[in-house]
Amino acid sequence: AQTVTQSQPEMSVQEAETVTLSCTYDTSENNYYLFWYKQPPSRQMILVIRQEAYKQQNATENRFSVNFQKAAKSFSLKISDSQLGDTAMYFCAFMKHEGWGGSRLTFGEGTQLTVNP
Amino acid sequence: NAGVTQTPKFQVLKTGQSMTLQCAQDMNHEYMSWYRQDPGMGLRLIHYSVGAGITDQGEVPNGYNVSRSTTEDFPLRLLSAAPSQTSVYFCASSPTGQGPEQYFGPGTRLTVT
């Protein structure tokens, strides 16, 4: 079974600054995906970024980037130029690559990020 | 497309009552799943389905039943609600074999008193 751990229950950052959220995972699988989801107060789950384990290059989506360290089983999210709208709960999630195309996600506990003006 | 819809948005039940949380998607996705979200625990998988007529248990299935008679609908049934089932419930769907992204519904907040 896979486990995902987010050791920072809460974080805060000043607007326009950079913040990094941590995530570690444990798995014996070699083919998998990793995700960061954002959950604002509206409760909607929003995909921020994804990383395929077979890709060495770190994924980037505008102000969001990841630092994927496969050997260390670490998957941190960096948010640059933080904006007030980035205030949300952030979840790290793991998905095993399954032959039947299934999509079972294992989530971490979440990190509540607050961006201060 | 409406995407993934869930009804109701909020529900209060008394212990022992039964109810069904509805989930529907109009994207012809084969894979559908139910998660519950509790404070400090992230989302946990309850049940999932890889197609009509096929369901399986996730991490926390006890107290919940599902069925999948059509591709579009995947209802979650609570047969005898307990306070431990107070949670936020999310339904998600994805097209199998076309990438890992899941599409989440807006959630149902359930309180059992």
Side-chain angles (χ1 to χ4, degrees), chain A residues 62-109:
Chain A
N62 299 315
R63 299 182 295 108
F64 300 88
S65 62
V66 298
N67 183 4
F68 174 48
Q69 301 289 328
K70 190 173 184 180
K73 296 180 182 173
S74 170
F75 184 61
S76 61
L77 174 70
K78 184 171 80 171
I79 306 175
S80 304
D81 187 25
S82 297
Q83 301 175 359
L84 296 178
D86 295 334
T87 292
M89 181 73 83
Y90 287 81
F91 291 100
C92 178
F94 172 101
M95 178 190 293
K96 184 173 71 170
H97 185 273
E98 305 199 58
W100 47 268
S103 306
R104 288 177 287 187
L105 285 163
T106 300
F107 286 86
E109 306 90 337

Side-chain angles (χ1 to χ4, degrees), chain A:
Chain A
Q2 287 68 231
T3 60
V4 178
T5 302
Q6 295 177 246
S7 59
Q8 305 154 313
E10 297 178 356
M11 294 191 72
S12 63
V13 64
Q14 292 300 120
E15 197 175 6
E17 293 187 347
T18 296
V19 64
T20 298
L21 308 184
S22 300
C23 173
T24 58
Y25 60 95
D26 188 25
T27 184
S28 59
E29 303 292 332
N30 194 44
N31 292 325
Y32 53 87
Y33 302 93
L34 294 163
F35 305 86
W36 279 98
Y37 281 89
K38 170 185 177 181
Q39 187 181 45
S42 67
R43 202 169 65 197
Q44 183 68 46
M45 294 291 288
I46 301 166
L47 178 64
V48 175
I49 199 165
R50 87 177 203 196
Q51 175 79 42
E52 289 89 340
Y54 67 87
K55 290 186 177 179
Q56 292 186 334
Q57 186 171 3
N58 290 324
T60 299
E61 289 286 344
N62 299 315
R63 299 182 295 108
F64 300 88
S65 62
V66 298
N67 183 4
F68 174 48
Q69 301 289 328
K70 190 173 184 180
K73 296 180 182 173
S74 170
F75 184 61
S76 61
L77 174 70
K78 184 171 80 171
I79 306 175
S80 304
D81 187 25
S82 297
Q83 301 175 359
L84 296 178
D86 295 334
T87 292
M89 181 73 83
Y90 287 81
F91 291 100
C92 178
F94 172 101
M95 178 190 293
K96 184 173 71 170
H97 185 273
E98 305 199 58
W100 47 268
S103 306
R104 288 177 287 187
L105 285 163
T106 300
F107 286 86
E109 306 90 337
T111 296
Q112 176 64 48
L113 176 67
T114 301
V115 180
N116 298 309

